[in-house]
Amino acid sequence: MSAKENKLDTKSLMPDASGVKQAIAILQSGGLVALPTETVYGLAANALNAQAVQKIFAAKERPSFDPLIVHVPGPTPDWEEWVRMGWLDSSVLKERTLTTLNLWAKDYWPGPLTLILPKGNAIPDAVSSGLTTVGIRMPRSDAMQSVLQGISFPLAAPSANRFGRISPTTASHVLEELNGKIDAVLDGGACNIGVESTIVRPHFKGEEIISLEILRPGAIDPSSLAESGKIPMQAPSTKHFEKTNAPLAPGMLDSHYAPRTPMKWDHAGVSDHAGVSDHSGLSLAVLELPHAAPPPASWSNNTKVLKHAKLSSDPNQAAHELYAVLRDLDALQADLILILGSLPKPEEHPLWHGILDRLTRASHR
Ligand code: TXA
Ligand code: MG
């Protein structure tokens, strides 16, 4: 793209009263501001303004079939008001539905939980990609809450990266991805959690939520969610993660969160991958997982290892640093990013499931 087509440089705002005020002014006039959440940086626009929302899709080069999450002000939900404003459908106010929603909100909001709920008619189709539902999330970061509490509309905000690429967890990551394409970034430092919110689709029977489906794993443990919502169910459904070529949820594509450098798992010794890896003559960037494995036999004297990064065995730290480590390895312009070893089991901590999901998609070609 020529310099002429670019906007002027993206403004960097401090997370103080003046920065928040400037972010609010830009959003009120239909512009785009990247804001820090506790998960990753989001690229925010007025969710009720279809034109502003279109700018998100243009800046990210995101296909229109991939719906956006709508961020709401906290610290407690105001379901009646949100229905009155047309953000949500009135069916969420049915007593038994509301009971479950309030239990979840009490335990997890503000925080990294996105709920897929029937949408109200003020949410344009551009946000929901034409679906009758909308993803609602109450983010926890102070900076984003200050912005949300200073405006009268909710914020549509996908992760602030080019479509399919690595999500940003610092303001400088945002600028690497989108400098000149968005109006401003509010620099709130590194995001605490580091991987995106847990997305949950409640299943309704009549007026009641009877089960839940995890569409994207994150920091929240699915069985705690069921317990918290007092849902009479055996086990939460995670059928989305069964191997399939068709995305069961819109936007949940097999390839996502990807570095530009090809990335693959070393499955040395695993029969269906045997013979695939010959690393002689290649320059490698290595990501070693907490359960280490020895370098594969296919490494030879002329395999050049540019960098060997090790992911923390502490799940919170591992999630916190995951995307920054991937970006570092990607910047080396190696022939290949090779993932060695394996992750602890998801039962040990929900974040291992989230990290496995991201690494699997990042290495999918
Ligand atoms: O932590 C997060 O959730 C971050 C921060 C910025 O809040 N946001 C984020 O947004 O990860 P994004 O656009 O990168 O991912 C949103 C995903 C979509 O790709 C889609 O899979 C799912 O949310 N989604 C959104 N609306 C949906 C809907 N109505 N039904 C099913 N899935 C939906
Ligand atoms: Mg994303």
PDB file of all heavy atoms in Angstrom, residues 37-74:
ATOM      1  N   THR A  37      -7.058  -4.930  26.874  1.00  0.00           N
ATOM      2  CA  THR A  37      -7.949  -5.662  27.776  1.00  0.00           C
ATOM      3  C   THR A  37      -7.044  -6.573  28.607  1.00  0.00           C
ATOM      4  O   THR A  37      -5.833  -6.595  28.404  1.00  0.00           O
ATOM      5  CB  THR A  37      -9.004  -6.514  27.032  1.00  0.00           C
ATOM      6  OG1 THR A  37      -8.408  -7.750  26.633  1.00  0.00           O
ATOM      7  CG2 THR A  37      -9.590  -5.795  25.835  1.00  0.00           C
ATOM      8  N   GLU A  38      -7.625  -7.332  29.517  1.00  0.00           N
ATOM      9  CA  GLU A  38      -6.807  -8.240  30.317  1.00  0.00           C
ATOM     10  C   GLU A  38      -6.343  -9.451  29.500  1.00  0.00           C
ATOM     11  O   GLU A  38      -5.441 -10.176  29.923  1.00  0.00           O
ATOM     12  CB  GLU A  38      -7.577  -8.681  31.570  1.00  0.00           C
ATOM     13  CG  GLU A  38      -8.686  -9.700  31.339  1.00  0.00           C
ATOM     14  CD  GLU A  38      -9.971  -9.066  30.792  1.00  0.00           C
ATOM     15  OE1 GLU A  38      -9.905  -8.014  30.112  1.00  0.00           O
ATOM     16  OE2 GLU A  38     -11.049  -9.642  31.042  1.00  0.00           O
ATOM     17  N   THR A  39      -6.941  -9.680  28.319  1.00  0.00           N
ATOM     18  CA  THR A  39      -6.541 -10.842  27.501  1.00  0.00           C
ATOM     19  C   THR A  39      -5.529 -10.422  26.440  1.00  0.00           C
ATOM     20  O   THR A  39      -4.360 -10.779  26.520  1.00  0.00           O
ATOM     21  CB  THR A  39      -7.768 -11.487  26.833  1.00  0.00           C
ATOM     22  OG1 THR A  39      -8.436 -10.508  26.018  1.00  0.00           O
ATOM     23  CG2 THR A  39      -8.727 -12.057  27.861  1.00  0.00           C
ATOM     24  N   VAL A  40      -5.988  -9.658  25.449  1.00  0.00           N
ATOM     25  CA  VAL A  40      -5.126  -9.151  24.378  1.00  0.00           C
ATOM     26  C   VAL A  40      -5.628  -7.738  24.049  1.00  0.00           C
ATOM     27  O   VAL A  40      -6.681  -7.323  24.546  1.00  0.00           O
ATOM     28  CB  VAL A  40      -5.205 -10.047  23.106  1.00  0.00           C
ATOM     29  CG1 VAL A  40      -4.751 -11.475  23.412  1.00  0.00           C
ATOM     30  CG2 VAL A  40      -6.596 -10.051  22.485  1.00  0.00           C
ATOM     31  N   TYR A  41      -4.886  -6.997  23.215  1.00  0.00           N
ATOM     32  CA  TYR A  41      -5.383  -5.684  22.788  1.00  0.00           C
ATOM     33  C   TYR A  41      -6.539  -5.877  21.806  1.00  0.00           C
ATOM     34  O   TYR A  41      -6.480  -6.741  20.915  1.00  0.00           O
ATOM     35  CB  TYR A  41      -4.272  -4.862  22.120  1.00  0.00           C
ATOM     36  CG  TYR A  41      -3.431  -4.083  23.116  1.00  0.00           C
ATOM     37  CD1 TYR A  41      -2.554  -4.748  23.972  1.00  0.00           C
ATOM     38  CD2 TYR A  41      -3.545  -2.701  23.224  1.00  0.00           C
ATOM     39  CE1 TYR A  41      -1.805  -4.042  24.911  1.00  0.00           C
ATOM     40  CE2 TYR A  41      -2.785  -1.985  24.157  1.00  0.00           C
ATOM     41  CZ  TYR A  41      -1.929  -2.657  24.996  1.00  0.00           C
ATOM     42  OH  TYR A  41      -1.190  -1.961  25.922  1.00  0.00           O
ATOM     43  N   GLY A  42      -7.593  -5.072  21.977  1.00  0.00           N
ATOM     44  CA  GLY A  42      -8.733  -5.133  21.074  1.00  0.00           C
ATOM     45  C   GLY A  42      -8.749  -3.896  20.180  1.00  0.00           C
ATOM     46  O   GLY A  42      -8.301  -2.822  20.583  1.00  0.00           O
ATOM     47  N   LEU A  43      -9.259  -4.058  18.951  1.00  0.00           N
ATOM     48  CA  LEU A  43      -9.397  -2.913  18.046  1.00  0.00           C
ATOM     49  C   LEU A  43     -10.849  -2.449  18.111  1.00  0.00           C
ATOM     50  O   LEU A  43     -11.736  -3.075  17.546  1.00  0.00           O
ATOM     51  CB  LEU A  43      -9.018  -3.308  16.614  1.00  0.00           C
ATOM     52  CG  LEU A  43      -9.120  -2.182  15.596  1.00  0.00           C
ATOM     53  CD1 LEU A  43      -8.275  -0.983  16.007  1.00  0.00           C
ATOM     54  CD2 LEU A  43      -8.711  -2.667  14.218  1.00  0.00           C
ATOM     55  N   ALA A  44     -11.060  -1.326  18.828  1.00  0.00           N
ATOM     56  CA  ALA A  44     -12.419  -0.949  19.198  1.00  0.00           C
ATOM     57  C   ALA A  44     -13.041   0.095  18.275  1.00  0.00           C
ATOM     58  O   ALA A  44     -12.362   0.985  17.769  1.00  0.00           O
ATOM     59  CB  ALA A  44     -12.420  -0.419  20.637  1.00  0.00           C
ATOM     60  N   ALA A  45     -14.365  -0.053  18.102  1.00  0.00           N
ATOM     61  CA  ALA A  45     -15.192   0.946  17.412  1.00  0.00           C
ATOM     62  C   ALA A  45     -16.586   0.888  18.029  1.00  0.00           C
ATOM     63  O   ALA A  45     -16.944  -0.105  18.683  1.00  0.00           O
ATOM     64  CB  ALA A  45     -15.276   0.637  15.920  1.00  0.00           C
ATOM     65  N   ASN A  46     -17.357   1.940  17.801  1.00  0.00           N
ATOM     66  CA  ASN A  46     -18.752   1.975  18.254  1.00  0.00           C
ATOM     67  C   ASN A  46     -19.519   0.800  17.632  1.00  0.00           C
ATOM     68  O   ASN A  46     -19.713   0.747  16.419  1.00  0.00           O
ATOM     69  CB  ASN A  46     -19.364   3.311  17.815  1.00  0.00           C
ATOM     70  CG  ASN A  46     -20.836   3.434  18.204  1.00  0.00           C
ATOM     71  OD1 ASN A  46     -21.465   2.467  18.632  1.00  0.00           O
ATOM     72  ND2 ASN A  46     -21.373   4.633  18.055  1.00  0.00           N
ATOM     73  N   ALA A  47     -19.968  -0.124  18.495  1.00  0.00           N
ATOM     74  CA  ALA A  47     -20.629  -1.340  17.998  1.00  0.00           C
ATOM     75  C   ALA A  47     -21.991  -1.060  17.387  1.00  0.00           C
ATOM     76  O   ALA A  47     -22.559  -1.918  16.714  1.00  0.00           O
ATOM     77  CB  ALA A  47     -20.771  -2.354  19.137  1.00  0.00           C
ATOM     78  N   LEU A  48     -22.545   0.137  17.611  1.00  0.00           N
ATOM     79  CA  LEU A  48     -23.876   0.442  17.071  1.00  0.00           C
ATOM     80  C   LEU A  48     -23.781   1.190  15.738  1.00  0.00           C
ATOM     81  O   LEU A  48     -24.804   1.510  15.127  1.00  0.00           O
ATOM     82  CB  LEU A  48     -24.669   1.290  18.085  1.00  0.00           C
ATOM     83  CG  LEU A  48     -24.732   0.744  19.516  1.00  0.00           C
ATOM     84  CD1 LEU A  48     -25.596   1.637  20.395  1.00  0.00           C
ATOM     85  CD2 LEU A  48     -25.262  -0.691  19.532  1.00  0.00           C
ATOM     86  N   ASN A  49     -22.551   1.495  15.330  1.00  0.00           N
ATOM     87  CA  ASN A  49     -22.326   2.296  14.129  1.00  0.00           C
ATOM     88  C   ASN A  49     -21.725   1.400  13.035  1.00  0.00           C
ATOM     89  O   ASN A  49     -20.536   1.072  13.059  1.00  0.00           O
ATOM     90  CB  ASN A  49     -21.376   3.450  14.499  1.00  0.00           C
ATOM     91  CG  ASN A  49     -20.990   4.305  13.314  1.00  0.00           C
ATOM     92  OD1 ASN A  49     -21.065   3.878  12.163  1.00  0.00           O
ATOM     93  ND2 ASN A  49     -20.546   5.520  13.599  1.00  0.00           N
ATOM     94  N   ALA A  50     -22.573   0.984  12.089  1.00  0.00           N
ATOM     95  CA  ALA A  50     -22.142   0.002  11.083  1.00  0.00           C
ATOM     96  C   ALA A  50     -20.940   0.500  10.282  1.00  0.00           C
ATOM     97  O   ALA A  50     -20.052  -0.285   9.928  1.00  0.00           O
ATOM     98  CB  ALA A  50     -23.303  -0.318  10.146  1.00  0.00           C
ATOM     99  N   GLN A  51     -20.893   1.811  10.030  1.00  0.00           N
ATOM    100  CA  GLN A  51     -19.760   2.341   9.250  1.00  0.00           C
ATOM    101  C   GLN A  51     -18.450   2.238  10.019  1.00  0.00           C
ATOM    102  O   GLN A  51     -17.406   1.901   9.460  1.00  0.00           O
ATOM    103  CB  GLN A  51     -20.006   3.806   8.920  1.00  0.00           C
ATOM    104  CG  GLN A  51     -20.750   3.973   7.610  1.00  0.00           C
ATOM    105  CD  GLN A  51     -21.000   5.442   7.331  1.00  0.00           C
ATOM    106  OE1 GLN A  51     -21.156   6.244   8.266  1.00  0.00           O
ATOM    107  NE2 GLN A  51     -21.028   5.789   6.067  1.00  0.00           N
ATOM    108  N   ALA A  52     -18.534   2.552  11.318  1.00  0.00           N
ATOM    109  CA  ALA A  52     -17.333   2.450  12.163  1.00  0.00           C
ATOM    110  C   ALA A  52     -16.878   0.998  12.228  1.00  0.00           C
ATOM    111  O   ALA A  52     -15.681   0.690  12.152  1.00  0.00           O
ATOM    112  CB  ALA A  52     -17.631   2.989  13.561  1.00  0.00           C
ATOM    113  N   VAL A  53     -17.852   0.086  12.331  1.00  0.00           N
ATOM    114  CA  VAL A  53     -17.529  -1.338  12.409  1.00  0.00           C
ATOM    115  C   VAL A  53     -16.875  -1.820  11.109  1.00  0.00           C
ATOM    116  O   VAL A  53     -15.929  -2.617  11.127  1.00  0.00           O
ATOM    117  CB  VAL A  53     -18.814  -2.147  12.728  1.00  0.00           C
ATOM    118  CG1 VAL A  53     -18.597  -3.631  12.542  1.00  0.00           C
ATOM    119  CG2 VAL A  53     -19.271  -1.847  14.161  1.00  0.00           C
ATOM    120  N   GLN A  54     -17.355  -1.291   9.982  1.00  0.00           N
ATOM    121  CA  GLN A  54     -16.741  -1.662   8.689  1.00  0.00           C
ATOM    122  C   GLN A  54     -15.260  -1.306   8.663  1.00  0.00           C
ATOM    123  O   GLN A  54     -14.448  -1.996   8.048  1.00  0.00           O
ATOM    124  CB  GLN A  54     -17.440  -0.957   7.516  1.00  0.00           C
ATOM    125  CG  GLN A  54     -18.829  -1.481   7.183  1.00  0.00           C
ATOM    126  CD  GLN A  54     -18.855  -2.976   6.882  1.00  0.00           C
ATOM    127  OE1 GLN A  54     -17.821  -3.630   6.731  1.00  0.00           O
ATOM    128  NE2 GLN A  54     -20.059  -3.547   6.847  1.00  0.00           N
ATOM    129  N   LYS A  55     -14.910  -0.204   9.346  1.00  0.00           N
ATOM    130  CA  LYS A  55     -13.494   0.210   9.355  1.00  0.00           C
ATOM    131  C   LYS A  55     -12.622  -0.834  10.064  1.00  0.00           C
ATOM    132  O   LYS A  55     -11.463  -0.998   9.727  1.00  0.00           O
ATOM    133  CB  LYS A  55     -13.335   1.560  10.073  1.00  0.00           C
ATOM    134  CG  LYS A  55     -13.933   2.738   9.329  1.00  0.00           C
ATOM    135  CD  LYS A  55     -13.586   4.012  10.088  1.00  0.00           C
ATOM    136  CE  LYS A  55     -14.453   5.175   9.654  1.00  0.00           C
ATOM    137  NZ  LYS A  55     -14.342   6.317  10.573  1.00  0.00           N
ATOM    138  N   ILE A  56     -13.193  -1.508  11.076  1.00  0.00           N
ATOM    139  CA  ILE A  56     -12.432  -2.574  11.758  1.00  0.00           C
ATOM    140  C   ILE A  56     -12.095  -3.670  10.750  1.00  0.00           C
ATOM    141  O   ILE A  56     -10.949  -4.125  10.652  1.00  0.00           O
ATOM    142  CB  ILE A  56     -13.245  -3.202  12.918  1.00  0.00           C
ATOM    143  CG1 ILE A  56     -13.500  -2.196  14.034  1.00  0.00           C
ATOM    144  CG2 ILE A  56     -12.542  -4.442  13.451  1.00  0.00           C
ATOM    145  CD1 ILE A  56     -14.315  -2.775  15.211  1.00  0.00           C
ATOM    146  N   PHE A  57     -13.122  -4.097   9.991  1.00  0.00           N
ATOM    147  CA  PHE A  57     -12.902  -5.174   9.024  1.00  0.00           C
ATOM    148  C   PHE A  57     -11.866  -4.754   7.976  1.00  0.00           C
ATOM    149  O   PHE A  57     -11.019  -5.555   7.585  1.00  0.00           O
ATOM    150  CB  PHE A  57     -14.227  -5.563   8.350  1.00  0.00           C
ATOM    151  CG  PHE A  57     -15.121  -6.391   9.238  1.00  0.00           C
ATOM    152  CD1 PHE A  57     -16.034  -5.788  10.097  1.00  0.00           C
ATOM    153  CD2 PHE A  57     -15.034  -7.774   9.228  1.00  0.00           C
ATOM    154  CE1 PHE A  57     -16.844  -6.551  10.925  1.00  0.00           C
ATOM    155  CE2 PHE A  57     -15.845  -8.552  10.057  1.00  0.00           C
ATOM    156  CZ  PHE A  57     -16.747  -7.937  10.905  1.00  0.00           C
ATOM    157  N   ALA A  58     -11.930  -3.482   7.565  1.00  0.00           N
ATOM    158  CA  ALA A  58     -10.986  -3.007   6.545  1.00  0.00           C
ATOM    159  C   ALA A  58      -9.563  -2.970   7.101  1.00  0.00           C
ATOM    160  O   ALA A  58      -8.627  -3.455   6.464  1.00  0.00           O
ATOM    161  CB  ALA A  58     -11.413  -1.621   6.050  1.00  0.00           C
ATOM    162  N   ALA A  59      -9.391  -2.413   8.312  1.00  0.00           N
ATOM    163  CA  ALA A  59      -8.034  -2.284   8.880  1.00  0.00           C
ATOM    164  C   ALA A  59      -7.400  -3.651   9.106  1.00  0.00           C
ATOM    165  O   ALA A  59      -6.213  -3.853   8.890  1.00  0.00           O
ATOM    166  CB  ALA A  59      -8.086  -1.506  10.191  1.00  0.00           C
ATOM    167  N   LYS A  60      -8.213  -4.612   9.549  1.00  0.00           N
ATOM    168  CA  LYS A  60      -7.691  -5.946   9.856  1.00  0.00           C
ATOM    169  C   LYS A  60      -7.629  -6.854   8.635  1.00  0.00           C
ATOM    170  O   LYS A  60      -7.099  -7.945   8.705  1.00  0.00           O
ATOM    171  CB  LYS A  60      -8.605  -6.643  10.882  1.00  0.00           C
ATOM    172  CG  LYS A  60      -8.462  -6.173  12.296  1.00  0.00           C
ATOM    173  CD  LYS A  60      -9.209  -7.105  13.252  1.00  0.00           C
ATOM    174  CE  LYS A  60      -8.795  -8.547  13.117  1.00  0.00           C
ATOM    175  NZ  LYS A  60      -8.449  -9.243  14.346  1.00  0.00           N
ATOM    176  N   GLU A  61      -8.268  -6.410   7.537  1.00  0.00           N
ATOM    177  CA  GLU A  61      -8.462  -7.269   6.361  1.00  0.00           C
ATOM    178  C   GLU A  61      -9.143  -8.565   6.794  1.00  0.00           C
ATOM    179  O   GLU A  61      -8.733  -9.673   6.452  1.00  0.00           O
ATOM    180  CB  GLU A  61      -7.126  -7.546   5.664  1.00  0.00           C
ATOM    181  CG  GLU A  61      -6.513  -6.279   5.077  1.00  0.00           C
ATOM    182  CD  GLU A  61      -5.052  -6.451   4.700  1.00  0.00           C
ATOM    183  OE1 GLU A  61      -4.726  -7.476   4.082  1.00  0.00           O
ATOM    184  OE2 GLU A  61      -4.258  -5.548   5.034  1.00  0.00           O
ATOM    185  N   ARG A  62     -10.202  -8.378   7.591  1.00  0.00           N
ATOM    186  CA  ARG A  62     -10.918  -9.515   8.158  1.00  0.00           C
ATOM    187  C   ARG A  62     -12.122  -9.838   7.296  1.00  0.00           C
ATOM    188  O   ARG A  62     -12.859  -8.938   6.901  1.00  0.00           O
ATOM    189  CB  ARG A  62     -11.374  -9.117   9.562  1.00  0.00           C
ATOM    190  CG  ARG A  62     -12.157 -10.163  10.352  1.00  0.00           C
ATOM    191  CD  ARG A  62     -12.459  -9.569  11.721  1.00  0.00           C
ATOM    192  NE  ARG A  62     -13.311 -10.350  12.566  1.00  0.00           N
ATOM    193  CZ  ARG A  62     -12.912 -10.911  13.715  1.00  0.00           C
ATOM    194  NH1 ARG A  62     -11.670 -10.803  14.112  1.00  0.00           N
ATOM    195  NH2 ARG A  62     -13.758 -11.578  14.461  1.00  0.00           N
ATOM    196  N   PRO A  63     -12.365 -11.118   6.996  1.00  0.00           N
ATOM    197  CA  PRO A  63     -13.541 -11.463   6.187  1.00  0.00           C
ATOM    198  C   PRO A  63     -14.828 -11.179   6.959  1.00  0.00           C
ATOM    199  O   PRO A  63     -14.870 -11.309   8.181  1.00  0.00           O
ATOM    200  CB  PRO A  63     -13.388 -12.960   5.931  1.00  0.00           C
ATOM    201  CG  PRO A  63     -12.455 -13.460   6.965  1.00  0.00           C
ATOM    202  CD  PRO A  63     -11.586 -12.315   7.386  1.00  0.00           C
ATOM    203  N   SER A  64     -15.859 -10.795   6.233  1.00  0.00           N
ATOM    204  CA  SER A  64     -17.078 -10.336   6.902  1.00  0.00           C
ATOM    205  C   SER A  64     -17.833 -11.468   7.592  1.00  0.00           C
ATOM    206  O   SER A  64     -18.738 -11.222   8.381  1.00  0.00           O
ATOM    207  CB  SER A  64     -17.991  -9.651   5.890  1.00  0.00           C
ATOM    208  OG  SER A  64     -18.292 -10.576   4.876  1.00  0.00           O
ATOM    209  N   PHE A  65     -17.449 -12.747   7.348  1.00  0.00           N
ATOM    210  CA  PHE A  65     -18.183 -13.851   7.996  1.00  0.00           C
ATOM    211  C   PHE A  65     -17.712 -14.083   9.424  1.00  0.00           C
ATOM    212  O   PHE A  65     -18.236 -14.939  10.128  1.00  0.00           O
ATOM    213  CB  PHE A  65     -18.061 -15.152   7.180  1.00  0.00           C
ATOM    214  CG  PHE A  65     -16.653 -15.656   7.001  1.00  0.00           C
ATOM    215  CD1 PHE A  65     -15.967 -16.263   8.050  1.00  0.00           C
ATOM    216  CD2 PHE A  65     -16.000 -15.531   5.774  1.00  0.00           C
ATOM    217  CE1 PHE A  65     -14.665 -16.737   7.888  1.00  0.00           C
ATOM    218  CE2 PHE A  65     -14.699 -15.993   5.602  1.00  0.00           C
ATOM    219  CZ  PHE A  65     -14.039 -16.603   6.665  1.00  0.00           C
ATOM    220  N   ASP A  66     -16.711 -13.315   9.880  1.00  0.00           N
ATOM    221  CA  ASP A  66     -16.139 -13.554  11.210  1.00  0.00           C
ATOM    222  C   ASP A  66     -16.677 -12.510  12.195  1.00  0.00           C
ATOM    223  O   ASP A  66     -16.254 -11.367  12.175  1.00  0.00           O
ATOM    224  CB  ASP A  66     -14.610 -13.469  11.092  1.00  0.00           C
ATOM    225  CG  ASP A  66     -13.908 -14.015  12.316  1.00  0.00           C
ATOM    226  OD1 ASP A  66     -14.596 -14.509  13.224  1.00  0.00           O
ATOM    227  OD2 ASP A  66     -12.674 -13.945  12.356  1.00  0.00           O
ATOM    228  N   PRO A  67     -17.645 -12.890  13.038  1.00  0.00           N
ATOM    229  CA  PRO A  67     -18.326 -11.902  13.884  1.00  0.00           C
ATOM    230  C   PRO A  67     -17.433 -11.316  14.979  1.00  0.00           C
ATOM    231  O   PRO A  67     -16.451 -11.929  15.383  1.00  0.00           O
ATOM    232  CB  PRO A  67     -19.475 -12.696  14.504  1.00  0.00           C
ATOM    233  CG  PRO A  67     -19.033 -14.117  14.466  1.00  0.00           C
ATOM    234  CD  PRO A  67     -18.150 -14.260  13.269  1.00  0.00           C
ATOM    235  N   LEU A  68     -17.812 -10.140  15.463  1.00  0.00           N
ATOM    236  CA  LEU A  68     -17.032  -9.422  16.478  1.00  0.00           C
ATOM    237  C   LEU A  68     -17.653  -9.593  17.859  1.00  0.00           C
ATOM    238  O   LEU A  68     -18.867  -9.767  17.994  1.00  0.00           O
ATOM    239  CB  LEU A  68     -17.003  -7.928  16.146  1.00  0.00           C
ATOM    240  CG  LEU A  68     -16.510  -7.541  14.753  1.00  0.00           C
ATOM    241  CD1 LEU A  68     -16.550  -6.018  14.592  1.00  0.00           C
ATOM    242  CD2 LEU A  68     -15.106  -8.067  14.509  1.00  0.00           C
ATOM    243  N   ILE A  69     -16.804  -9.482  18.882  1.00  0.00           N
ATOM    244  CA  ILE A  69     -17.281  -9.508  20.263  1.00  0.00           C
ATOM    245  C   ILE A  69     -17.629  -8.076  20.671  1.00  0.00           C
ATOM    246  O   ILE A  69     -16.914  -7.131  20.334  1.00  0.00           O
ATOM    247  CB  ILE A  69     -16.196 -10.102  21.186  1.00  0.00           C
ATOM    248  CG1 ILE A  69     -16.011 -11.598  20.863  1.00  0.00           C
ATOM    249  CG2 ILE A  69     -16.551  -9.912  22.655  1.00  0.00           C
ATOM    250  CD1 ILE A  69     -14.845 -12.253  21.585  1.00  0.00           C
ATOM    251  N   VAL A  70     -18.735  -7.924  21.405  1.00  0.00           N
ATOM    252  CA  VAL A  70     -19.183  -6.612  21.858  1.00  0.00           C
ATOM    253  C   VAL A  70     -18.852  -6.466  23.351  1.00  0.00           C
ATOM    254  O   VAL A  70     -19.209  -7.326  24.161  1.00  0.00           O
ATOM    255  CB  VAL A  70     -20.693  -6.454  21.587  1.00  0.00           C
ATOM    256  CG1 VAL A  70     -21.245  -5.227  22.289  1.00  0.00           C
ATOM    257  CG2 VAL A  70     -20.933  -6.360  20.076  1.00  0.00           C
ATOM    258  N   HIS A  71     -18.144  -5.388  23.666  1.00  0.00           N
ATOM    259  CA  HIS A  71     -17.660  -5.160  25.034  1.00  0.00           C
ATOM    260  C   HIS A  71     -18.553  -4.161  25.745  1.00  0.00           C
ATOM    261  O   HIS A  71     -18.886  -3.099  25.192  1.00  0.00           O
ATOM    262  CB  HIS A  71     -16.217  -4.665  24.994  1.00  0.00           C
ATOM    263  CG  HIS A  71     -15.274  -5.673  24.381  1.00  0.00           C
ATOM    264  ND1 HIS A  71     -15.289  -5.969  23.034  1.00  0.00           N
ATOM    265  CD2 HIS A  71     -14.325  -6.474  24.924  1.00  0.00           C
ATOM    266  CE1 HIS A  71     -14.373  -6.908  22.782  1.00  0.00           C
ATOM    267  NE2 HIS A  71     -13.774  -7.220  23.919  1.00  0.00           N
ATOM    268  N   VAL A  72     -18.924  -4.514  26.972  1.00  0.00           N
ATOM    269  CA  VAL A  72     -19.901  -3.713  27.721  1.00  0.00           C
ATOM    270  C   VAL A  72     -19.267  -3.168  29.009  1.00  0.00           C
ATOM    271  O   VAL A  72     -18.308  -3.734  29.524  1.00  0.00           O
ATOM    272  CB  VAL A  72     -21.151  -4.556  28.062  1.00  0.00           C
ATOM    273  CG1 VAL A  72     -21.940  -4.880  26.800  1.00  0.00           C
ATOM    274  CG2 VAL A  72     -20.767  -5.847  28.790  1.00  0.00           C
ATOM    275  N   PRO A  73     -19.830  -2.062  29.522  1.00  0.00           N
ATOM    276  CA  PRO A  73     -19.288  -1.467  30.744  1.00  0.00           C
ATOM    277  C   PRO A  73     -19.641  -2.289  31.984  1.00  0.00           C
ATOM    278  O   PRO A  73     -20.655  -2.986  32.011  1.00  0.00           O
ATOM    279  CB  PRO A  73     -19.971  -0.100  30.802  1.00  0.00           C
ATOM    280  CG  PRO A  73     -21.232  -0.259  30.031  1.00  0.00           C
ATOM    281  CD  PRO A  73     -20.948  -1.282  28.965  1.00  0.00           C
ATOM    282  N   GLY A  74     -18.786  -2.200  32.988  1.00  0.00           N
ATOM    283  CA  GLY A  74     -19.021  -2.881  34.259  1.00  0.00           C
ATOM    284  C   GLY A  74     -19.216  -1.861  35.359  1.00  0.00           C
ATOM    285  O   GLY A  74     -19.497  -0.705  35.063  1.00  0.00           O
TER     286      GLY A  74
END
